[in-house]
């Protein structure tokens, strides 16, 4: 039998040191792996860097030609798809400062309608290049300015005739004759009508920033101001003859006038409330207010009340100029009512029923 030789003391120490070093190395590796795993868990999931997506935006180019000569005026480029026609007009104004955006008329075809400012250019595009035809609309005014100017004139002009200026009437004759009560009542009704219109222009009607040519305002002012001068001259004249049926005729006509004015106001408020609520896709309908129940019979009751006011004013004053003005207002209002009635028929045919445009059965 062979005896196992015992290691010597130096070899035994080296062996113990090697085993201790191996144990210490395995212990340190375990501790470092534990620390690394804790670090990964505290940091959360490892995320790969985001991939950058290169989006392609198609820009449009608008070529603007003169409608008469077909010559190119300018090119508006680098328009994003979200641009509207108003953006095109602003850039066109920068290139051609003599044409303000409000007087620029743009058409897709030479004989086509003028495009609205809210039209998106992407809806017009067949390719990246859009061709539009330019027309100078002339000097423009805003709708608020238009109506304020048109209605302020009759209010002031009538008052000038009411106080009987010496440059208009003979002062001796004016001092001798006493005014009939209908003269004062007519002034009150006439001023009430135009004050209502001015207040509704400022606080009821909401205009979308549109414009109209200056010549339209001149024509409107000539019509209203001219007829106001003619009507006021006869009613406030010292030789004015009162109505044939006396106070009863005046009282009933004045009452009808005030009711038509109230009805017109409440109809305009109802229409403005509908537009402000954003529900333009529904047919105007009556509310709890009895003055709006006329919606059940006609589609444009505001024109009905407007005509009723001037017919009542004519009966109250019994003057020829007021009668001619009321007759012209009936014609104009009936044309506007029929135009709006056709739009309602196209959009709300089942709901319209047998409504008339302005006056039941007649219009």
């Amino acid at each position: 039998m062979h005896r196992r030789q015992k290691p010597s003391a130096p070899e035994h120490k080296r062996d113990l040191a090697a085993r201790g070093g191996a144990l210490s190395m395995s212990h340190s590796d375990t501790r470092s792996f534990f620390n690394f795993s804790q670090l990964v868990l505290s940091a959360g999931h490892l995320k790969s860097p985001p991939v950058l997506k290169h989006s392609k935006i198609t820009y449009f180019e608008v070529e603007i030609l003169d409608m008469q000569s077909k010559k190119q005026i300018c090119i508006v480029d680098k328009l994003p798809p979200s641009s509207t026609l108003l953006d095109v007009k602003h850039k066109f104004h920068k290139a051609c400062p003599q044409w303000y955006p409000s007087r620029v008329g743009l058409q897709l075809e030479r004989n086509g309608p003028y495009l609205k400012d809210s039209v998106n250019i992407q809806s017009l595009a067949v390719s990246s290049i859009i061709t539009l035809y330019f027309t100078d609309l002339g000097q423009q005014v805003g709708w608020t300015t238009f109506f304020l100017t048109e209605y302020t004139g009759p209010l002031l002009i009538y008052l000038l005739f009411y106080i009987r200026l010496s440059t208009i009437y003979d002062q001796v004759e004016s001092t001798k004759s006493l005014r009939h009560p209908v003269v004062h009542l007519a002034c009150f009704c006439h001023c009430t009508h135009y004050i209502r219109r001015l207040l509704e222009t400022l606080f009821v009607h909401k205009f979308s920033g549109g414009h109209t040519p200056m010549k339209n305002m001149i024509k409107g002012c000539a019509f209203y101001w001219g007829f106001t001068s003619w009507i006021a001259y006869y009613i406030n004249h010292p030789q004015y003859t009162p109505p044939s049926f006396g106070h009863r005729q005046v009282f009933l006509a004045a009452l009808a006038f005030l009711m038509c004015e109230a009805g017109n106001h409440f109809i305009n408020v109802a229409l403005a409330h509908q537009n402000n609520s954003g529900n333009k896709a529904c047919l105007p309908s009556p509310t709890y207010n009895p003055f709006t129940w006329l919606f059940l019979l006609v589609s444009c009751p505001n024109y009905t009340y407007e005509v009723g006011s001037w017919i009542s004013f004519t009966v109250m004053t019994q003057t020829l100029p007021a009668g001619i003005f009321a007759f012209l207002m009936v014609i104009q209002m009936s044309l506007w009512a029929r135009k709006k009635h056709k739009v309602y028929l196209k959009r709300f045919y089942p709901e319209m029923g047998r409504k008339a445009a302005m006056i039941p059965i007649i219009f």
Side-chain angles (χ1 to χ4, degrees):
M1 294 181 66
H2 298 281
R3 291 184 180 179
R4 188 179 181 181
Q5 294 181 353
K6 293 183 180 181
S8 59
E11 290 178 355
H12 183 66
K13 288 181 181 179
R14 281 198 304 269
D15 190 35
L16 289 176
R19 291 179 184 178
L23 288 174
S24 62
M25 286 179 64
S26 62
H27 183 67
S28 61
D29 290 342
T30 304
R31 182 180 298 175
S32 60
F33 177 79
F34 176 78
N35 293 336
F36 178 75
S37 62
Q38 291 294 325
L39 179 63
V40 171
L41 290 175
S42 63
H45 298 288
L46 294 176
K47 293 183 179 180
S48 58
V51 180
L52 295 176
K53 295 182 179 180
H54 299 282
S55 59
K56 256 190 173 181
I57 300 177
T58 304
Y59 289 95
F60 292 96
E61 183 179 289
V62 177
E63 180 188 25
I64 300 178
L65 307 179
D66 184 77
M67 193 186 68
Q68 301 296 334
S69 62
K70 293 185 180 180
K71 292 182 179 180
Q72 186 186 94
I73 300 176
C74 73
I75 294 178
V76 180
D77 55 358
K78 294 183 179 180
L79 288 169
S82 60
S83 299
T84 61
L85 210 66
L86 184 60
D87 300 326
V88 176
K89 290 183 178 182
H90 281 294
K91 290 198 172 186
F92 178 66
H93 172 59
K94 290 182 179 179
C96 305
Q98 67 270 27
W99 290 307
Y100 292 93
S102 60
R103 66 184 296 170
V104 174
L106 296 177
Q107 301 162 275
L108 194 60
E109 299 175 357
R110 292 189 67 189
N111 297 323
Y114 293 112
L115 300 172
K116 295 182 179 180
D117 292 346
S118 58
V119 173
N120 192 286
I121 62 169
Q122 193 172 13
S123 62
L124 306 174
V126 180
S127 63
S128 60
I129 300 177
I130 306 170
T131 301
L132 298 176
Y133 294 94
F134 160 75
T135 302
D136 185 9
L137 300 177
Q139 190 171 359
Q140 305 285 302
V141 293
W143 284 110
T144 303
T145 305
F146 175 88
F147 288 117
L148 290 179
T149 306
E150 193 175 65
Y151 299 151
T152 303
L155 179 64
L156 299 178
I157 289 172
Y158 197 98
L159 292 175
L160 292 177
F161 283 91
Y162 177 74
I163 62 177
R164 290 183 175 179
L165 293 175
S166 58
T167 55
I168 302 176
Y169 303 109
D170 182 60
Q171 288 297 307
V172 177
E173 192 176 6
S174 299
T175 53
K176 286 182 180 179
S177 62
L178 295 176
R179 300 192 190 193
H180 193 274
V182 70
V183 176
H184 305 292
L185 187 59
C187 180
F188 170 77
C189 291
H190 193 275
C191 293
T192 299
H193 176 79
Y194 284 101
I195 288 174
R196 176 187 65 80
R197 283 193 162 191
L198 289 171
L199 293 177
E200 286 177 354
T201 301
L202 292 173
F203 303 109
V204 176
H205 299 300
K206 301 297 180 183
F207 305 103
S208 58
H211 297 81
T212 186
M214 176 72 77
K215 61 182 180 180
N216 289 348
M217 189 179 74
I218 295 175
K219 289 190 294 184
C221 290
F223 177 77
Y224 281 100
W225 295 15
F227 264 102
T228 298
S229 302
W230 193 20
I231 294 170
Y233 176 79
Y234 274 85
I235 295 176
N236 296 285
H237 199 280
Q239 297 181 0
Y240 167 73
T241 304
S244 303
F245 296 96
H247 294 290
R248 180 177 295 180
Q249 177 181 345
V250 173
F251 174 76
L252 292 177
L255 182 61
F257 177 88
L258 294 177
M259 289 182 64
C260 288
E261 286 295 302
N264 202 341
H265 171 70
F266 289 121
I267 291 294
N268 289 332
V269 170
L271 292 174
H273 178 73
Q274 175 198 355
N275 294 337
N276 292 339
S277 63
N279 193 10
K280 296 183 181 181
C282 67
L283 183 68
S285 57
T287 62
Y288 63 89
N289 192 328
F291 286 101
T292 64
W293 293 351
L294 197 57
F295 272 122
L296 298 173
L297 301 176
V298 295
S299 56
C300 304
N302 51 332
Y303 297 147
T304 308
Y305 283 124
E306 183 75 14
V307 168
S309 294
W310 288 113
I311 294 177
S312 303
F313 188 84
T314 301
V315 174
M316 180 180 65
T317 58
Q318 198 173 309
T319 53
L320 180 62
I324 295 176
F325 181 74
F327 176 72
L328 295 177
M329 291 297 287
V330 170
I331 295 175
Q332 182 62 72
M333 295 295 166
S334 64
L335 293 175
W336 288 344
R338 289 181 65 182
K339 185 178 180 181
K340 187 178 289 187
H341 188 72
K342 288 181 180 179
V343 175
Y344 286 155
L345 283 175
K346 289 181 180 179
R347 299 177 62 185
F348 313 106
Y349 173 68
E351 303 174 36
M352 287 290 292
R354 294 187 177 182
K355 287 185 181 181
M358 187 177 74
I359 300 176
I361 301 174
I362 300 178
F363 296 111

